[in-house]
């Protein structure tokens, strides 16, 4: 019996706690109101509450309140009935002056526990100048007058007009509608301009957006943000963002052509739905070039950054992987930052770094982190030092270059079981995919052979000796061919060079599939991977150490003409820009695909190993 009572009390207490945890107390009011007009301030709690305490509101006059209303809803789901009750306290307020005012949180008591609402910020706007003039003239503004360009328009606002190259700024497209002339019911066919010359990162807007009140040039408009984006200029000079347009569906009041009667109350004859095309004016940005004196470790980072680094272990064995993790955090063009250079010793096998980018774009700009993991495998035992990692960026606040340097790492490598000479095979993607091949060569053991002569005529004949001579010759030939193949396979650089074209063709086939599926960004990423992978394999340089500058230098050493080098550089630049540019036509991807295949074919004929 005691157990039953205990369980009952336990479940009852748990139910009370669970219901108490679900109690919400929320305050709501318009974000902006007009001076002289009234508005509602409501406090809603989803339980039976009492002793509500509202803070003092000295900037507003309380005309009515609090008035209380109760709402109950009942649902039956799978035979189970649930009842929800909400209690709302409403105040009618009127502002005393213009400005922006805060309303502190209120408190309420529910079943002995106190709950606090959210605070509110209300902006009080001045009345329309047109309404004041109409009131002074003794007239009344006609709601049936035609909608002019001052009653419905869109603006393109930029946070900065003078920026540095790669410095981000915010652009906001906002629609303004005069509520006395037009009631916006929908927006169709938005044709925003293309941001040519900029890298674009959109600001995520709420799904359910509503018109908010805003005073603009003395008139109160209902406004809604159409688009917000952070733009990063890719070149210096004066860049103009062209015009655009959008179609707005609105409901306007028209003057009736016949005397109205009491029956017109049941008709909507005084309003009509119309579509209006609103144009967006172009805006210009002055982009300053980055100043001279760039540090050697500068790779285009603009903004404000910090950097941290760590090493997986300072003591490893041969053929064990060592990883250096570099994390760059800050505000700016993180997506465009190139990986800092980590100089591993020459006796290390270096693999492509693993990169993770986490970016958040808001009205304050683009911020986030970029994490790069560099992996290498030591081949020989000894003590090594990995130099400090340097990262430079241009600080737009101070207008100067700054360099961040990590600490150098000392690495002690002990002899592993494999002797440090085992060949390494990798698909150059991540450290989990690195495999070690054991000894797969078994040398032939040749013993002395004794023949017992017999009396057959075949013994001692020409064919008898040829049966031994031909296999011996074939054995020698295949032996030397096999030794040559083993030697070449042990040279990973040579193997990669020979398979460079095959790997590039495989990646380009994947790019062709993405092109047919019209996946633009994935297509350009795959073409970039094919080009950088081909150059890395062909030139025997890890991708982590490849840059556009040293690629041009290395290709020139192999006797590649300037026209072919320029063709490769143009394809790389086109891919890097097109990934973040607005939607491209399909024929542009077709043309780039053909140029890439042709350029790799020419390079194969030029560099032969």
């Amino acid at each position: 019996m005691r157990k039953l009572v205990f369980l009952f009390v336990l479940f009852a207490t748990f139910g009370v706690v669970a219901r108490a945890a679900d109690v919400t107390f929320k305050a709501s009011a318009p974000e902006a109101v007009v001076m002289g007009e009234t508005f509602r301030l409501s406090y809603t709690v989803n339980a039976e509450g009492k002793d509500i305490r509202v803070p003092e509101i000295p900037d507003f006059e309380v005309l009515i309140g609090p008035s209380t209303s109760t709402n109950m809803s009942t649902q039956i789901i799978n035979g189970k009935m649930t009842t929800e009750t909400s209690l709302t306290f409403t105040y009618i307020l009127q502002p005393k002056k213009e400005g922006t005012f805060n309303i502190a949180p209120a408190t309420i008591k529910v079943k002995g526990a106190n709950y606090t609402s959210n605070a509110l910020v209300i902006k009080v706007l001045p009345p329309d100048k047109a309404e004041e003039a109409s009131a002074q003239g003794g007239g009344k503004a006609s709601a049936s007058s035609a909608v002019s360009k001052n009653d419905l328009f869109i603006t393109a606002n930029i946070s900065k007009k003078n920026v540095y190259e790669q410095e981000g700024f915010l652009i906001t497209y906002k629609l303004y509608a005069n509520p006395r002339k037009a009631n916006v019911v929908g927006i169709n066919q938005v044709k925003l301009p293309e941001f040519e010359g900029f890298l674009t990162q959109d600001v995520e807007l709420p799904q359910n957006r509503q018109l908010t009140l805003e005073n603009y040039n003395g008139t109160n408009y209902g406004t809604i943000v159409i688009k917000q984006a952070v733009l990063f200029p890719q070149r210096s000079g004066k860049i103009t963002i062209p015009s655009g347009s959008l179609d707005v569906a609105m409901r306007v009041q028209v003057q009736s052509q016949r005397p109205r009667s009491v029956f017109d109350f049941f008709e909507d004859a005084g309003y009509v739905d119309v579509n209006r095309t609103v144009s967006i004016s172009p805006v210009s940005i002055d982009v300053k070039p980055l100043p001279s004196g760039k540090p050697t470790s500068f790779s285009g980072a603009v903004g404000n950054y910090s950097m941290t680094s760590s090493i997986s272990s300072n003591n490893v064995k041969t053929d064990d992987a060592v990883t250096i993790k570099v994390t760059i955090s800050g505000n700016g063009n993180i997506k465009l930052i190139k990986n800092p250079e980590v100089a591993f010793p020459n006796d290390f096998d270096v693999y492509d770094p693993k990169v993770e980018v986490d970016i958040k774009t808001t009205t304050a700009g683009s911020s986030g982190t970029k994490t790069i993991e560099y992996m290498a495998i030591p081949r020989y035992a000894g003590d090594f030092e990995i130099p400090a990692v340097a990262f430079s960026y241009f600080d737009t606040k101070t207008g100067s270059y700054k360099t961040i340097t990590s600490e150098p790492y000392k690495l002690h490598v002990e002899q592993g079981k494999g002797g440090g000479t085992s060949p390494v095979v990798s698909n150059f993607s991540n450290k989990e995919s690195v495999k070690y091949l054991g000894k797969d060569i078994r040398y032939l053991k040749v013993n002395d052979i004794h023949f017992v002569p017999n009396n057959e005529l075949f013994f001692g004949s020409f064919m008898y000796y040829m049966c031994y001579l031909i296999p011996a010759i074939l054995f020698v030939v295949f032996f030397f061919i096999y030794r040559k193949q083993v030697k070449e396979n042990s040279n990973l650089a040579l193997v990669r060079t020979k398979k460079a074209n095959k790997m590039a063709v495989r990646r380009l086939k994947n790019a062709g599939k993405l092109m047919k599926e019209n996946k633009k960004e994935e297509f350009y990423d795959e073409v970039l991977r094919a080009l950088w992978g081909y150059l890395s394999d062909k030139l025997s340089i890890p991708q982590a150490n490849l840059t556009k500058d040293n690629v041009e230098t290395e290709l020139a050493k192999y006797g590649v003409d300037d026209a072919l080098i320029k063709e490769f550089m143009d394809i790389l630049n086109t891919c890097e820009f097109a990934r973040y540019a607005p939607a491209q036509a399909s024929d542009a991807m077709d043309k780039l695909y053909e140029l890439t295949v042709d350029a790799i074919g020419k390079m194969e004929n030029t560099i032969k190993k």
Side-chain angles (χ1 to χ4, degrees), residues 279-290:
S279 299
I280 307 172
S281 301
V283 292
S284 297
I285 309 295
D286 291 324
V287 183
K288 298 176 288 186
L290 296 178

Side-chain angles (χ1 to χ4, degrees), residues 501 534 564 568 595-606:
N501 185 54
Y534 174 79
L564 184 55
F568 256 81
L595 289 175
T596 306
V597 174
D598 181 65
I600 291 178
K602 294 178 181 177
M603 191 67 71
E604 280 294 303
N605 295 330
T606 304

